[in-house]
Amino acid sequence: MKHKIIDEALLHHHGEPGALLPVLHEIQDALGYIPPESVEQIARGLNLSRADVHGVITYYSHFRRDPPARHAVAVCRGEACQSMGSAALLAHAERTLGCKMHQTSADGRFHLDAAYCLGLCASSPAVTVDGNPHARMTTEAFDALVLQCGKTP
Ligand code: FES
């Protein structure tokens, strides 16, 4: 199945200049990540080296190399949120979830990321959980959100 999805992405962008990024986006949209074992197939399909493909995947933090976690958490690091303590909130989130920013927790439940302004500046700091925004976030409110996702803080 993965192999077929990758072949289709390569076919969709066959002959396009700079096809690597659109191919990677299409694969990630379909699978939720770029399987490490697909690097060779992508490189062969685009007539690139494996190092070229690997370099692009690792350069852009947008591209995931592991299957997506069940819950995506993002802490806003925009200016307004930073002025309202988002750095401390992020540190709390890392401790609570058991993973650093841009990482997935060992149990695969949570992926922690940064956001850069969620349009909730007047009610900062803000986070999203599975794409849903939550404003005026405190450590206690964050733990309650995590609890709703089935994890004891
Ligand atoms: S800076 Fe965080 S919501 Fe705008």
Side-chain angles (χ1 to χ4, degrees):
M1 162 136 168
K2 287 180 198 168
H3 200 273
K4 185 173 182 240
I5 286 169
I6 293 160
D7 269 346
E8 285 174 1
L10 290 165
L11 190 64
H12 292 156
H13 300 283
H14 180 74
E16 272 179 31
L20 179 55
L21 282 173
V23 164
L24 294 176
H25 280 288
E26 187 169 328
I27 293 168
Q28 182 155 298
D29 288 348
L31 298 175
Y33 73 117
I34 312 291
E37 65 272 18
S38 71
V39 168
E40 186 168 344
Q41 184 183 354
I42 297 166
R44 210 176 331 108
L46 296 175
N47 200 23
L48 297 170
S49 72
R50 286 185 306 175
D52 289 335
V53 176
H54 179 75
V56 169
I57 292 170
T58 54
Y59 179 78
Y60 293 103
S61 63
H62 170 77
F63 292 122
R64 302 179 44 80
R65 289 178 282 163
D66 301 305
R70 274 185 267 164
H71 300 286
V73 176
V75 176
C76 182
R77 302 192 71 201
E79 278 185 39
C81 286
Q82 287 204 38
S83 72
M84 294 300 285
S86 70
L89 185 61
L90 176 61
H92 177 80
E94 289 177 338
R95 283 192 303 275
T96 300
L97 302 179
C99 58
K100 296 288 184 190
M101 187 166 55
H102 304 309
Q103 291 182 352
T104 299
S105 59
D107 62 6
R109 282 185 171 205
F110 294 94
H111 183 79
L112 180 60
D113 247 320
Y116 294 93
C117 195
L118 301 165
L120 298 167
C121 305
S123 309
S124 57
V127 303
T128 60
V129 177
D130 297 332
N132 298 313
H134 301 273
R136 293 194 175 89
M137 190 52 48
T138 62
T139 54
E140 293 79 13
F142 183 83
D143 289 350
L145 284 173
V146 169
L147 198 58
Q148 286 174 11
C149 294
K151 178 176 172 56
T152 306

